[in-house]
Amino acid sequence: MRRETGTPRDGWEKTVEGQGLAFQRAVHPKGLPRPYWDESVHYVFGMDEVLALEEQVEELHSMCLRAVQHVVETGRYADFAIPEWAREDVARSWERRDGHLYGRFDLRYDGTGPAKLLEYNADTPTTLVEAAIVQWFWLQDTHPDGDQWNSLHERLIDRWRALDLPPGPTHFAWTSADESGEDATTLAYLQDTAMEAGLATTAIAMEDIGWHEEDRRFVDVDGRWIRSVFKLYPWEWMLGDAFGRSAVRHATWIEPLWKALLSNKALLAVLWELYPGHDNLLPAHLDGPRGMSSYIAKPLLGREGASMRIVTPSGTQETRGSYGAEGYVYQGFQALPSFDGQRPVLGAWVVGDESAGLGIRETTGYITDDTSSFVPHRIEQQ
């Protein structure tokens, strides 16, 4: 693994925006010295590295599924801040093996040892358009004989075909509270993959989903029965909404309700309990740092690196935010590796239960947040 510099393509801004990255300006805070999509640099991997990482990712995913089974068997829902009224519904969703689509592992990796799991974005992961489409076309333009860890598009289509969905169109729902357009663009891309798979689809804002009390069903703005929904709307928000009790028992949701356990950072502590000392895990606990001299406190339901606290012998760093009411997990801290002063996080994608691709975000700090840039990658030809 190494970081290389290069010359951006002429007119790259128009190119990437035409490929779906129209939100690249809105999603990135103004005044930063580099753009959100930065193709002046890229990372290069050996095929042996990629094959090893793929294997580690699939093992991590299997471990996470085992963790869900453990939580359901032991009833540890309180550790995940699951409301009491929803716990049986989570169990039933898991026992039915309600179909799931995709997820993204965030990994620490420096090219010299096993990747370390930082967290699992298993409910509403984004950066998908960048990883699946934009960096693929960058590769074709700049390294036409090259390769990339990227089978996302094809695997998404195949996965849609494999899901057992009820009849009628699948609704694709985003929240109109997203002002950057990232969620809407991600949703439109996923809707395209579903249509390529042969599904009938229609788009809707979460705020426009109605509840028909007499018929006990969800309906869209045209009064059509909503039977299946892909949502870019977190389960923790849904469980806190007025319609949450109806949502867990009516309609087929993608991602399914059991994914609320995987998108919660309490998962990190459960994994460490089940697989203590595993090469791909960092120590993690729910009841405090337990004597760790270097650790990071992460809110169970935080986003974009907000409300975190890094504690090391040399001092403490904190990020702003309003998360943490549900509690924290305390994870052993290993600084992200530095490549030319930038610190990458590998976003390794899973579609269904299989490894499917890689996206990289990097920043100068220890926490990847909304100031981070997305950079492409390629696999070096042997």
Side-chain angles (χ1 to χ4, degrees), residues 20-79:
L21 209 59
F23 58 84
Q24 66 140 344
R25 302 175 197 268
V27 78
H28 212 39
K30 295 180 180 178
L32 296 178
R34 62 188 300 203
Y36 171 67
W37 168 268
D38 187 357
E39 62 181 62
S40 68
V41 297
H42 67 274
Y43 283 83
V44 184
F45 295 83
M47 181 59 78
D48 57 337
E49 284 182 294
V50 170
L51 293 175
L53 286 166
E54 284 186 320
E55 184 176 341
Q56 292 170 53
V57 166
E58 292 189 358
E59 182 177 3
L60 282 169
H61 178 69
S62 295
M63 291 160 58
C64 289
L65 298 182
R66 172 67 185 90
V68 174
Q69 180 70 30
H70 167 78
V71 173
V72 171
E73 287 176 347
T74 58
R76 293 183 60 179
Y77 301 107
D79 287 341

Side-chain angles (χ1 to χ4, degrees), residues 10-26:
D10 291 338
W12 67 266
E13 298 98 330
K14 184 177 180 180
T15 297
V16 301
E17 289 173 4
Q19 292 163 352
L21 209 59
F23 58 84
Q24 66 140 344
R25 302 175 197 268

Side-chain angles (χ1 to χ4, degrees), residues 37-164:
W37 168 268
D38 187 357
E39 62 181 62
S40 68
V41 297
H42 67 274
Y43 283 83
V44 184
F45 295 83
M47 181 59 78
D48 57 337
E49 284 182 294
V50 170
L51 293 175
L53 286 166
E54 284 186 320
E55 184 176 341
Q56 292 170 53
V57 166
E58 292 189 358
E59 182 177 3
L60 282 169
H61 178 69
S62 295
M63 291 160 58
C64 289
L65 298 182
R66 172 67 185 90
V68 174
Q69 180 70 30
H70 167 78
V71 173
V72 171
E73 287 176 347
T74 58
R76 293 183 60 179
Y77 301 107
D79 287 341
F80 290 74
I82 301 295
E84 215 171 308
W85 61 264
R87 294 172 184 178
E88 288 188 12
D89 297 286
V90 173
R92 283 195 290 267
S93 174
W94 172 249
E95 289 160 0
R96 290 191 304 263
R97 296 301 192 270
D98 290 346
H100 62 289
L101 183 68
Y102 72 146
R104 192 193 76 229
F105 286 101
D106 286 349
L107 306 173
R108 181 200 183 277
Y109 181 68
D110 60 12
T112 63
K116 299 291 187 181
L117 174 62
L118 302 175
E119 60 185 70
Y120 191 13
N121 300 280
D123 186 16
T124 58
T126 54
T127 71
L128 181 62
V129 175
E130 301 93 301
I133 300 298
V134 181
Q135 71 168 343
W136 176 254
F137 283 111
W138 165 86
L139 181 74
Q140 304 310 303
D141 289 344
T142 61
H143 299 83
D145 297 324
D147 199 359
Q148 194 173 79
W149 181 7
N150 189 358
S151 58
L152 276 160
H153 189 79
E154 298 80 7
R155 288 184 183 273
L156 285 167
I157 294 169
D158 289 343
R159 185 60 180 170
W160 283 118
R161 290 174 177 151
L163 291 177
D164 184 17

Side-chain angles (χ1 to χ4, degrees), residues 17-342:
E17 289 173 4
Q19 292 163 352
L21 209 59
F23 58 84
Q24 66 140 344
R25 302 175 197 268
V27 78
H28 212 39
K30 295 180 180 178
L32 296 178
R34 62 188 300 203
Y36 171 67
W37 168 268
D38 187 357
E39 62 181 62
S40 68
V41 297
H42 67 274
Y43 283 83
V44 184
F45 295 83
M47 181 59 78
D48 57 337
E49 284 182 294
V50 170
L51 293 175
L53 286 166
E54 284 186 320
E55 184 176 341
Q56 292 170 53
V57 166
E58 292 189 358
E59 182 177 3
L60 282 169
H61 178 69
S62 295
M63 291 160 58
C64 289
L65 298 182
R66 172 67 185 90
V68 174
Q69 180 70 30
H70 167 78
V71 173
V72 171
E73 287 176 347
T74 58
R76 293 183 60 179
Y77 301 107
D79 287 341
F80 290 74
I82 301 295
E84 215 171 308
W85 61 264
R87 294 172 184 178
E88 288 188 12
D89 297 286
V90 173
R92 283 195 290 267
S93 174
W94 172 249
E95 289 160 0
R96 290 191 304 263
R97 296 301 192 270
D98 290 346
H100 62 289
L101 183 68
Y102 72 146
R104 192 193 76 229
F105 286 101
D106 286 349
L107 306 173
R108 181 200 183 277
Y109 181 68
D110 60 12
T112 63
K116 299 291 187 181
L117 174 62
L118 302 175
E119 60 185 70
Y120 191 13
N121 300 280
D123 186 16
T124 58
T126 54
T127 71
L128 181 62
V129 175
E130 301 93 301
I133 300 298
V134 181
Q135 71 168 343
W136 176 254
F137 283 111
W138 165 86
L139 181 74
Q140 304 310 303
D141 289 344
T142 61
H143 299 83
D145 297 324
D147 199 359
Q148 194 173 79
W149 181 7
N150 189 358
S151 58
L152 276 160
H153 189 79
E154 298 80 7
R155 288 184 183 273
L156 285 167
I157 294 169
D158 289 343
R159 185 60 180 170
W160 283 118
R161 290 174 177 151
L163 291 177
D164 184 17
L165 299 176
T170 297
H171 288 69
F172 282 72
W174 77 99
T175 173
S176 55
D178 170 42
E179 298 180 352
S180 71
E182 181 178 17
D183 285 359
T185 300
T186 303
L187 190 94
Y189 170 62
L190 284 165
Q191 187 177 354
D192 282 345
T193 62
M195 288 190 293
E196 286 193 53
L199 273 64
T201 70
T202 186
I204 190 171
M206 289 292 292
E207 292 79 3
D208 288 336
I209 294 178
W211 172 250
H212 196 293
E213 184 63 36
E214 185 176 333
D215 291 342
R216 306 294 295 171
R217 65 180 57 173
F218 289 104
V219 295
D220 63 19
V221 292
D222 296 318
R224 290 178 298 184
W225 182 5
I226 296 177
R227 292 179 171 88
S228 62
V229 191
F230 175 87
K231 60 176 187 59
L232 274 180
Y233 194 81
W235 268 112
E236 65 262 26
W237 294 1
M238 291 181 67
L239 296 179
D241 281 347
F243 69 85
R245 290 176 185 262
S246 299
V248 299
R249 300 183 179 102
H250 299 273
T252 296
W253 298 91
I254 309 162
E255 299 294 329
L257 179 57
W258 60 264
K259 278 279 190 100
L261 300 177
L262 293 187
S263 59
N264 186 307
K265 294 180 186 64
L267 170 71
L268 301 172
V270 172
L271 286 171
W272 187 252
E273 291 175 24
L274 296 177
Y275 302 96
H278 192 282
D279 283 345
N280 297 121
L281 299 178
L282 294 167
H285 311 287
L286 290 171
D287 57 357
R290 295 193 186 180
M292 291 188 292
S293 60
S294 295
Y295 65 89
I296 179 167
K298 298 179 175 181
L300 299 185
L301 298 173
R303 294 179 177 275
E304 284 289 348
S307 305
M308 292 190 179
R309 184 172 77 258
I310 298 174
V311 177
T312 67
S314 59
T316 300
Q317 299 181 33
E318 297 187 58
T319 60
R320 293 179 295 178
S322 56
Y323 297 105
E326 298 82 7
Y328 288 79
V329 67
Y330 300 84
Q331 184 183 47
F333 176 70
Q334 286 188 15
L336 296 173
S338 177
F339 290 78
D340 304 321
Q342 296 288 329

